[in-house]
């Protein structure tokens, strides 16, 4: 019997399928060249059917896809501080190596979004600012715990860590011989007196 | 009198204008979403007119645009070795800060090209491999000159330098407070006994 609860569950499953299809299409073609029509075809629906679930259209699909990626990282880092937080960054990088499609999607979107007209422009600017700030807080805590090397500026170390993470992902996707998790660990350790 | 030589010059100028337009269109929309038609409109030509100069179509335009960027960097680095070469990398990063469009173009293309079906996939893979190798050679020379810190692996230092360069460009384009030239100098110096 498909009562309201059954309908709700069915609709949530549909949304989930659509987000997965959007993920695959944007990862392959980027946001600009990807289309709602391609996403609809992937999931065996009409374009109108997809827009019934995502009234905001392509930008709403983009938002749903981006939020999904952040949820994963936030789960790993929840409640962690100092060296424990920095170790979490290494764990996230290790996960990424098994999620090539997601890394590719994110790399393409963050590059496209450098254009100020792109719908995710504000999202990426704010996201990088937020992450840099969280990582700086972790280095500060490491400093209070006596685990930071003398003379290291937590804010500069955070931006450097973020830049290295992004750069390693790009090189890895472009077939270079990098081990994202171990290379980011090595980089973070250059700032630490107590290694992770 | 427009003899054969005049015709040749006129054609070369046209090619130049088309490459500049391709540069602008790809920088704004990426390669996948950018079109020969947009490029033709930018330069006030028909699509057929553009294809007369670039028979290979959109991929030929992409190749011309990518080669132009490399020419600049090669001019800066020509004949330089060791610390002098590494200082050249800092100079190139400083130039980039005045070439936002070019950096944006390259960032979008290198992200799109992570897809193995993209026409520039091989180009970027080979380009990163070639640069990593050239930078490793510079660190090796620095080592022979006694300028490398003990225990530094030239090859690992080169990949790290390349990753940092790419990551800093992405953060800079996304509105973060980075000084590409000084930040890459700081990073290179972490590998050196004699600072640049």
């Amino acid at each position: 019997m498909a009562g309201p609860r059954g309908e709700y569950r069915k609709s949530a499953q549909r949304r989930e399928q659509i987000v997965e299809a959007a993920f695959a299409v944007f990862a392959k073609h980027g946001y600009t060249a990807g289309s709602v029509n391609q996403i609809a075809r992937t999931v065996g629906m009409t374009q109108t059917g997809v827009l019934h679930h995502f009234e905001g259209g392509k930008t709403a699909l983009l938002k749903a896809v981006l939020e999904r990626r952040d949820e994963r990282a936030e789960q790993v880092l929840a409640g962690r501080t100092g060296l424990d937080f920095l170790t979490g960054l290494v764990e996230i990088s290790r996960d990424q190596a098994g999620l090539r499609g997601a890394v590719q999607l994110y790399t393409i979107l963050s590059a496209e979004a450098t254009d100020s007209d792109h719908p995710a422009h504000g999202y990426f600017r704010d996201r990088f600012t937020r992450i840099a700030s969280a990582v700086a807080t972790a280095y500060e805590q490491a400093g209070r715990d006596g685990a930071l090397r003398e003379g290291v500026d937590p804010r500069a170390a955070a931006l450097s860590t973020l830049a290295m993470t992004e750069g390693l992902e790009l090189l890895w996707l472009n077939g270079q011989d990098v081990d994202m998790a171990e290379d980011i660990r090595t980089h973070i350790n250059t700032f630490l007196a107590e290694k992770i």
Side-chain angles (χ1 to χ4, degrees), chain A:
Chain A
M1 208 175 80
R5 220 176 281 176
E7 281 302 323
Y8 178 79
R9 197 178 57 231
K10 207 175 138 194
S11 175
Q13 282 173 351
R14 263 304 194 203
R15 276 184 66 93
E16 177 68 23
Q17 288 169 344
I18 294 167
V19 173
E20 271 170 30
F23 204 101
V25 168
F26 292 156
K28 176 92 179 159
H29 304 284
Y31 172 80
T32 311
S35 73
V36 175
N37 195 26
Q38 281 172 303
I39 294 165
R41 279 205 312 270
T42 305
V43 75
M45 291 174 77
T46 62
Q47 199 167 324
T48 313
V50 167
L51 294 176
H52 169 72
H53 290 274
F54 288 90
E55 285 180 15
K58 208 168 113 174
T59 54
L61 287 162
L62 174 63
K63 192 163 171 280
V65 161
L66 292 170
E67 280 168 1
R68 167 158 311 185
R69 187 187 200 261
D70 287 341
E71 280 166 21
R72 288 181 185 142
E74 279 163 19
Q75 279 168 9
V76 173
L77 297 174
R80 300 170 74 161
T81 61
L83 289 190
D84 191 28
F85 182 100
L86 297 172
T87 305
L89 298 181
V90 177
E91 290 166 19
I92 291 170
S93 280
R94 181 159 297 121
D95 290 348
Q96 304 286 56
L99 300 166
R100 190 185 161 93
V103 179
Q104 188 170 328
L105 168 71
Y106 169 80
T107 300
I108 292 178
L109 294 179
S110 64
E112 284 186 336
T114 59
D115 193 285
S116 55
D117 294 341
H118 194 280
H121 182 68
Y123 169 86
F124 275 102
R125 193 193 50 222
D126 296 349
R127 183 176 184 279
F128 284 130
T129 302
R130 201 173 63 242
I131 297 175
S133 172
V135 178
T137 301
Y139 278 115
E140 279 165 19
Q141 181 61 48
R144 280 191 295 275
D145 297 341
L148 204 61
R149 272 190 39 230
E150 202 161 307
V152 168
D153 172 45
R155 169 91 195 140
L159 273 172
S160 178
T161 303
L162 185 51
M164 183 58 79
T165 305
E166 299 297 323
L168 287 171
E169 287 181 2
L170 183 71
L171 294 189
W172 176 69
L173 287 171
N174 276 297
Q176 298 306 300
D177 180 28
V178 300
D179 178 332
M180 292 189 289
E182 287 314 306
D183 291 353
I184 198 65
R185 184 201 298 278
T186 300
H187 186 63
I188 291 172
N189 277 336
T190 63
F191 302 116
L192 300 178
E194 186 183 328
K195 309 300 182 194
I196 60 171

